[in-house]
Amino acid sequence: MKFTKMHGLGNDFVFLDYFNSGTPAEDFAALAVKLCDRNFGIGADGLALVLPSETADARMRIFNSDGSEPEMCGNAIRCFAKYLYERQLVVSNPLSVETLSGVLKLNVTVREGRVESVTVDMGEPILQPELVPTTGSGATVLNQPLSVDDREFFITAVSMGNPHCITFVDDAAAVQLAEIGPKLETHEFFPRHTNVEFVQVLDSSDVIMRVWERGAGATLACGTGACAAAVACVLNGKTGRKIKVRLPGGDLLVEWGSDNHLYMTGPATEVFYGEVLIQPADTGVKHRRVEK
Ligand code: ZDR
């Protein structure tokens, strides 16, 4: 099975291309678990499928490394645009991509035939508590206390197609991400679970962010999370509408436009391609994991 390995700021994905070949009836959830395994597979935060679309230039499906299928992925979709454009599968600019959270428009910045960066119209944020979804009531979940064990976190809930829980902290580096991340991810307040972001505000246009992703754990970057964080920053009076989000894997530029759309700009990188010997039929095989 041929694959391409790509990343957006270190948030990495295995791409499988079914654009011209028809999609096999595979169990992609099980395949994602297998291919994303960093010891037994290729290693990635997620699996991306390149598919044809009837409503857009192409269709993207994403699976987290635990096999769950999120609605959207901001980093993968920039890689997706680079993949389509550089292989001349789609040469229009802007190009459109169908996702589970709707059709998104992407502008590619090209130098000497290579896509250097991609600006994605990430659409409008969703703030209604029941649509994020959360079990909260009222118009928004804004800096609202949430108990985890014996601690209290002040959270803002934003959906960018997928759910996000943002907490402002004084020192992002000090957050015990692997300890608190899973507890917020699976908190009953978030019935479909959530991505978790800790944001340290440096000034009105500059923040540091660390992320614990739903279904994937700690990752080096998060595109939808950066957009959700920008919305949380503005609504909590922390920054202006145009910010740089510093992630462990690098920086994303996010602007919450006057049209209520989020615009995210960042790089996309192709690392290698090859053929993997794991076959979809192998995906039932379980291996024992060693706790690290
Ligand atoms: C955070 C993410 N990698 C991105 O860049 O937007 C999205 C991956 C999907 C996420 N783990 C989820 O919503 O389950």
Side-chain angles (χ1 to χ4, degrees), residues 45 63-68 185 193-195 212-217:
D45 295 323
F63 293 85
N64 288 316
S65 53
D66 74 350
S68 57
E185 177 193 2
H193 295 173
T194 187
N195 297 285
W212 179 269
E213 276 191 35
R214 177 180 67 167

Side-chain angles (χ1 to χ4, degrees), residues 39-63:
N39 298 106
F40 292 89
I42 300 165
D45 295 323
L47 170 67
L49 307 183
V50 183
L51 304 165
S53 169
E54 287 180 3
T55 56
D57 290 326
R59 174 172 162 232
M60 176 177 83
R61 278 183 80 185
I62 282 283
F63 293 85

Side-chain angles (χ1 to χ4, degrees), residues 35-278:
L35 295 180
C36 291
D37 192 294
R38 296 199 186 273
N39 298 106
F40 292 89
I42 300 165
D45 295 323
L47 170 67
L49 307 183
V50 183
L51 304 165
S53 169
E54 287 180 3
T55 56
D57 290 326
R59 174 172 162 232
M60 176 177 83
R61 278 183 80 185
I62 282 283
F63 293 85
N64 288 316
S65 53
D66 74 350
S68 57
E69 183 172 8
E71 302 81 351
M72 233 304 270
C73 177
N75 286 320
I77 205 166
R78 293 198 316 280
C79 297
F80 199 84
K82 182 183 177 78
Y83 186 96
L84 292 175
Y85 198 87
E86 290 187 358
R87 281 166 178 73
Q88 300 189 332
L89 297 173
V90 177
V91 288
S92 52
N93 187 17
L95 50 88
S96 60
V97 177
E98 179 188 351
T99 71
L100 280 181
S101 81
V103 173
L104 302 188
K105 203 172 85 180
L106 299 90
N107 277 278
V108 292
T109 302
V110 184
R111 185 177 296 170
E112 291 171 1
R114 296 265 166 234
V115 172
E116 280 193 336
S117 75
V118 182
T119 299
V120 188
D121 177 348
M122 300 281 282
E124 302 187 6
I126 298 163
L127 298 169
Q128 294 98 305
E130 68 280 11
L131 297 181
V132 170
T134 75
T135 58
S137 51
T140 55
V141 177
L142 208 62
N143 203 32
Q144 185 175 305
L146 188 73
S147 295
V148 181
D149 300 336
D150 52 354
R151 294 165 69 186
E152 198 165 64
F153 289 83
F154 285 84
I155 64 147
T156 297
V158 178
S159 167
M160 287 304 308
N162 54 353
H164 294 271
C165 167
I166 298 103
T167 300
F168 292 99
V169 294
D170 292 335
D171 181 4
V175 172
Q176 303 291 313
L177 201 57
E179 191 247 311
I180 193 63
K183 291 181 179 167
L184 285 167
E185 177 193 2
T186 58
H187 196 289
E188 61 187 11
F189 188 69
F190 294 95
R192 294 223 308 264
H193 295 173
T194 187
N195 297 285
V196 180
E197 286 84 17
F198 292 95
V199 177
Q200 175 186 347
V201 178
L202 298 176
D203 63 38
S204 63
S205 60
D206 203 351
V207 306
I208 298 173
M209 184 177 112
R210 289 178 70 204
V211 57
W212 179 269
E213 276 191 35
R214 177 180 67 167
T219 60
L220 295 179
C222 177
T224 50
C227 293
V231 171
C233 283
V234 172
L235 295 179
N236 286 287
K238 305 275 187 190
T239 70
R241 296 177 76 93
K242 192 173 180 176
I243 63 171
K244 175 158 84 181
V245 182
R246 298 172 191 248
L247 295 141
D251 302 341
L252 284 174
L253 299 176
V254 180
E255 180 167 11
W256 190 6
S258 50
D259 57 358
N260 196 30
H261 284 226
L262 273 298
Y263 294 89
M264 173 197 66
T265 302
T269 307
E270 181 170 338
V271 192
F272 59 92
Y273 51 83
E275 201 157 337
V276 61
L277 302 181
I278 292 170

